[in-house]
Amino acid sequence: GENVEQHPSTLSVQEGDSAVIKCTYSDSASNYFPWYKQELGKRPQLIIDIRSNVGEKKDQRIAVTLNKTAKHFSLHITETQPEDSAVYFCAASRGSSGDKLTFGTGTRLAVRP
Amino acid sequence: NAGVTQTPKFQVLKTGQSMTLQCAQDMNHEYMSWYRQDPGMGLRLIHYSVGAGITDQGEVPNGYNVSRSTTEDFPLRLLSAAPSQTSVYFCASSFLGSNEKLFFGSGTQLSVL
């Protein structure tokens, strides 16, 4: 089955700096890669996703890049704000939507004001 | 529109007790799934369903049963609870097909003593 590794497990940045979280996956047939943000005590919520026919996708201060050859994808958050503090999860699946996602182990991001 | 509704929010069981975690969605999603979230382990898929009458195992199915008698409901049953099943459980659903996203319920925190 699919295996998704996520690094780092914790990340602390100064407000206004950028944050980068990296994931690798094992199944070359995976073609859907979402990122979820989970605030303390809340449900995971989708913040951005990318499919295998796209190399990069941006949405305001967040962006995701995908390298299918190397089987890795990354989340980039620019101009970080205290409200970006949360746990972020990457995931991968063979489908083109959210079914049977395999998740990474999460990155706890702390943004220092 | 309530989205994905989980009950109860909190539950304490004794070893060997049985219980059912309820999940209902009002979005007419074909796909429904259960994940468990443990510290440092990310979210792991327990069981999933692609429609009424169809269920399948995920990554960690042992000790759990599911059924899907209607499109709306997907209960998760613990037949004989064990301390290893102490976790936060999330139900999630989506449409099947391209560009569909997975939506999570608010979670059930289960402690087995």
Side-chain angles (χ1 to χ4, degrees), chain B residues 1-4 24-30 71-72 93-95 103:
Chain B
N1 189 337
V4 182
Q25 52 89 13
D26 60 359
M27 297 175 281
N28 207 30
H29 286 166
E30 303 99 335
T71 300
E72 294 79 19
S93 71
S94 76
F95 288 113
F103 293 93

Side-chain angles (χ1 to χ4, degrees), chain B residues 2 7 11-12 16 20 22 28-29 34 40 46-47 49 53 57 61 78 81-82 92-94 98-100 102 110:
Chain B
T7 56
Q11 183 70 51
V12 179
T20 300
Q22 302 291 344
N28 207 30
H29 286 166
W34 278 100
I46 305 171
H47 285 285
S49 168
Q57 296 180 351
L78 284 71
S93 71
S94 76
S98 298
N99 300 316
E100 302 298 344
L102 190 67
L110 175 68

Side-chain angles (χ1 to χ4, degrees), chain A residues 52-66:
Chain A
S52 60
N53 58 345
V54 176
E56 183 176 0
K57 183 176 179 181
K58 287 184 178 180
D59 184 3
Q60 299 183 333
R61 295 186 298 107
I62 61 174
V64 58
T65 58
L66 171 65

